[in-house]
Amino acid sequence: MCEVFNKFLMGMREFFKDYFLGFWDYETPKVMVVKNKTLGAIYRSVQFLVITYFIWYVFISQKAYQDSETRPESSVYTRMKGIAVHGEDILDTVEYARPSEGGDVISTILRREVTYDQKHGHCAEHFSVTKANCSTDSDCLKDEMDFEGHGKKTGRCVRYYNFTFKTCEIQTWCPIEKYGRVREPPLEKAINFTVFIRNSIHFPKFKVLRGNIKDVSSKRDMHKYLNKCHYDEEKEPYCPNFRLGYIADKANEDFTELCRTGGVIGVFINWKCNLDLDPSNCKPTYSFRRLDLRKDQANSGYYYRFAKFYSRDGVESRTLIKAYGIRLDVIVHGHAGKFSPIPTIISTVTALGSVGICTIFCDWILLTFIDKNEVYSDRKFDEVIKEPAAPLPTELSYIDSFGSNHSDLSDGVPL
């Protein structure tokens, strides 16, 4: 046992000794030209791919020679514009736009379900609520509340409004919404409503401030321009007025379906600025996409409730409105780049270093698949222990694809 342990210690000693001595060795690459057309074709092909990648993708597409900024400062102001006739009512932005002060989120009401003249009192619970159906008072537990219901149970079992079956009586705003609501027709003319979106973006690193509205000489001309223009990607890229129908179409959504269920649409403003050019060339691009669950989902769409309170004969009353509509979320992305020597040097050095991978890859192919008789490996790897006492002969040799040595330089390339 002791002998085995001693051998182990001796082996570890030799290992660390060789490792320590080898750590101070110096390795230098040896140039060897191999006359093999297949390997040469692979080498040049890999070189071409690496160089093409860095020139086309890294430098031209990604502009790796630029210093960039991806977290700009941005502000958004929105306003809905348009008037619609709804039955005998004239609706303006106060009626259908939320919120009225603008911001990066704005919505418009396209359809309403209204429950008129609700008052605090006692009425029958809706039959779809769990444990709401009953036959006697004992089926209704007093003061019990169901989170899916509309109020607190009184302990009585009453007839459900004008129907013959019974449900538990509750204390709440009566009549309940599911019974008393009136569905109004959708506001399909809202397809021509316009959304004014003003966006300013600032790149503090480069001290560049840009806006998405066309520069006009006077306020009067600006007002006239904004009242007439509608955004067009080619003709009016600096007009901030967007039709709701245009937004729905670009988001691949049916406006009639949006009127029925509502929906959330993202308005993406993308600023990609090459500041090596004049800042006036820094223009926004817009894209639109549905953000909420699709219409085939159970809880898709967009809606919310609000109430209008009033007093009638000294009794507090309200009109409850369930509003379906389009909500627009304005999301701004910004990226600016400008030439800088530091990223240029780093990218160039990386490109030159990556070209060296071609040699490593081809060496692996050479020594793994071509060097069957170890002719190449014998030539490639030499170990020099000390300088020779006599000068080495200066004979030049080369290796062809068959691994033979020649001294005639006319047929080969010197090592």
Side-chain angles (χ1 to χ4, degrees):
M1 186 68 181
C2 293
E3 184 179 354
V4 174
F5 182 71
N6 289 333
K7 288 183 178 180
F8 173 76
L9 291 178
M10 293 296 293
M12 293 297 296
R13 178 183 174 185
E14 291 296 327
F15 171 77
F16 283 110
K17 179 181 178 181
D18 294 341
Y19 176 80
F20 178 77
L21 295 176
F23 180 78
W24 304 105
D25 292 343
Y26 170 70
E27 296 178 358
T28 181
K30 180 180 180 181
V31 178
M32 182 175 67
V33 178
V34 179
K35 305 293 281 187
N36 186 300
K37 293 183 178 180
T38 301
L39 186 62
I42 295 174
Y43 177 63
R44 296 305 179 190
S45 299
V46 175
Q47 268 190 334
F48 175 77
L49 292 176
V50 172
I51 294 173
T52 302
Y53 166 78
F54 275 94
I55 292 178
W56 176 78
Y57 181 76
V58 176
F59 285 96
I60 297 179
S61 178
Q62 298 298 314
K63 294 181 174 58
Y65 57 87
Q66 291 183 335
D67 188 12
S68 62
E69 183 173 12
T70 58
R71 298 178 64 88
E73 301 166 352
S74 175
S75 68
V76 175
Y77 171 76
T78 56
R79 185 174 71 247
M80 193 76 66
K81 295 188 292 184
I83 296 178
V85 178
H86 191 67
E88 297 181 355
D89 298 329
I90 304 297
L91 302 181
D92 57 11
T93 56
V94 177
E95 293 289 334
Y96 59 77
R98 297 287 188 280
S100 58
E101 69 273 10
D104 56 0
V105 176
I106 190 171
S107 66
T108 180
I109 299 174
L110 300 178
R111 186 174 69 86
R112 303 192 307 178
E113 295 179 358
V114 185
T115 306
Y116 294 98
D117 199 24
Q118 283 188 321
K119 301 180 180 66
H120 275 296
H122 299 84
C123 52
E125 177 64 283
H126 194 265
F127 56 85
S128 64
V129 177
T130 306
K131 298 181 181 180
N133 296 276
C134 63
S135 56
T136 63
D137 292 347
S138 60
D139 296 330
C140 302
L141 185 61
K142 187 177 180 180
D143 295 333
E144 183 183 33
M145 295 186 65
D146 193 316
F147 287 105
E148 296 179 0
H150 297 84
K152 182 174 65 174
K153 293 181 180 179
T154 63
R156 297 177 58 206
C157 182
V158 298
R159 194 170 72 169
Y160 184 76
Y161 298 96
N162 297 326
F163 295 86
T164 57
F165 61 89
K166 295 182 177 181
T167 61
C168 293
E169 185 183 59
I170 57 173
Q171 180 182 354
T172 185
W173 287 93
C174 297
I176 60 174
E177 180 188 22
K178 288 187 177 181
Y179 171 77
R181 63 188 173 188
V182 177
R183 291 184 173 89
E184 296 182 350
L187 192 64
E188 294 185 355
K189 291 185 179 180
I191 193 172
N192 293 317
F193 288 176
T194 58
V195 185
F196 173 80
I197 303 176
R198 184 178 66 200
N199 174 225
S200 299
I201 192 166
H202 178 222
F203 297 98
K205 180 184 289 187
F206 305 115
K207 299 180 180 180
V208 173
L209 177 64
R210 297 292 298 162
N212 68 330
I213 301 178
K214 181 179 180 180
D215 293 331
V216 181
S217 57
S218 65
K219 290 185 178 181
R220 183 177 180 181
D221 293 338
M222 173 68 75
H223 184 72
K224 185 184 298 184
Y225 171 74
L226 293 179
N227 283 338
K228 293 182 178 180
C229 75
H230 287 89
Y231 174 80
D232 185 271
E233 187 174 356
E234 296 181 358
K235 297 179 181 179
E236 294 288 353
Y238 278 109
C239 179
N241 296 322
F242 299 83
R243 290 177 57 252
L244 284 183
Y246 175 85
I247 293 175
D249 180 65
K250 289 298 182 180
N252 297 318
E253 295 294 329
D254 180 34
F255 191 82
T256 302
E257 183 67 20
L258 287 174
C259 288
R260 189 180 69 85
T261 63
V264 181
I265 296 179
V267 180
F268 297 89
I269 306 178
N270 302 291
W271 295 84
K272 193 171 184 180
C273 302
N274 182 6
L275 298 181
D276 291 331
L277 306 176
D278 190 270
S280 61
N281 294 308
C282 180
K283 300 178 182 179
T285 58
Y286 300 87
S287 58
F288 309 89
R289 187 173 71 249
R290 180 82 176 262
L291 297 181
D292 63 316
L293 297 175
R294 308 302 298 176
K295 53 182 175 292
D296 56 349
Q297 299 291 330
N299 198 29
S300 64
Y302 173 73
Y303 60 88
Y304 58 93
R305 291 177 174 86
F306 64 96
K308 296 180 178 179
F309 293 88
Y310 56 93
S311 178
R312 177 177 294 176
D313 299 329
V315 179
E316 184 183 22
S317 304
R318 74 176 188 181
T319 297
L320 178 64
I321 300 173
K322 183 179 181 181
Y324 292 83
I326 296 178
R327 193 183 85 179
L328 302 178
D329 290 5
V330 183
I331 303 170
V332 181
H333 298 292
H335 179 277
K338 192 173 185 179
F339 173 79
S340 177
I342 295 178
T344 302
I345 294 172
I346 293 175
S347 300
T348 303
V349 171
T350 303
L352 295 176
S354 299
V355 174
I357 297 176
C358 306
T359 303
I360 298 174
F361 177 70
C362 291
D363 281 350
W364 175 74
I365 294 177
L366 172 67
L367 300 175
T368 305
F369 300 103
I370 299 177
D371 191 18
K372 299 300 183 181
N373 53 4
E374 298 185 354
V375 174
Y376 298 114
S377 58
D378 291 341
R379 290 278 185 163
K380 184 170 180 61
F381 301 105
D382 289 334
E383 183 177 357
V384 180
I385 306 300
K386 61 180 180 179
E387 295 184 1
L392 294 174
T394 57
E395 177 186 2
L396 299 176
S397 62
Y398 74 93
I399 301 176
D400 62 12
S401 60
F402 300 96
S404 58
N405 295 336
H406 301 270
S407 58
D408 186 0
L409 299 181
S410 62
D411 295 330
V413 179
L415 289 172

